[in-house]
Amino acid sequence: MEPNTKLVLMTLVLALTLTAATGEMCGMTIAGMYSCKPYVQTENPLTTGINPKGACCTALSKADFKCLCQEKSKPHPFLSGIDFDLASKLPAKCGLSDVTC
């Protein structure tokens, strides 16, 4: 294995371990992230309205968007299949401020 591959693999394992141990990433719980994923996935995203009092909007209200913007460039299994253009529009649909990464 090349040195860069080892570093990426170790970073990914550490990130997954920390996420699993804390049950959250960037202020959002894993359950909260999964409640938003159907609206931002690249294949067949939900086009129905998002209820600002629903689980996704509640999770987004606690999110650290600067942290999430930094995470999008990292290899993370949860982020595979995410349309980041749709994801950036999600906070406004929940009545939160716009996000620009």
Side-chain angles (χ1 to χ4, degrees):
M1 210 181 283
E2 294 182 28
N4 286 341
T5 305
K6 287 181 182 178
L7 179 61
V8 169
L9 184 58
M10 287 176 21
T11 303
L12 178 59
V13 168
L14 179 60
L16 289 174
T17 303
L18 290 173
T19 301
T22 62
E24 68 175 55
M25 181 172 78
C26 299
M28 291 182 71
T29 64
I30 300 302
M33 288 183 197
Y34 276 105
S35 69
C36 292
K37 192 165 184 175
Y39 298 100
V40 298
Q41 57 196 11
T42 52
E43 292 186 31
N44 303 316
L46 287 179
T47 55
T48 57
I50 298 168
N51 179 353
K53 294 181 182 175
C56 175
C57 292
T58 300
L60 281 176
S61 70
K62 299 172 186 169
D64 177 346
F65 294 116
K66 183 177 178 182
C67 174
L68 288 171
C69 286
Q70 292 171 348
E71 289 295 320
K72 81 175 192 176
S73 63
K74 297 177 184 176
H76 193 285
F78 177 80
L79 299 178
S80 66
I82 297 291
D83 180 328
F84 291 106
D85 184 51
L86 289 174
S88 69
K89 295 174 183 172
L90 200 55
K93 291 182 178 183
C94 291
L96 303 168
S97 59
D98 287 336
V99 174
T100 304
C101 291

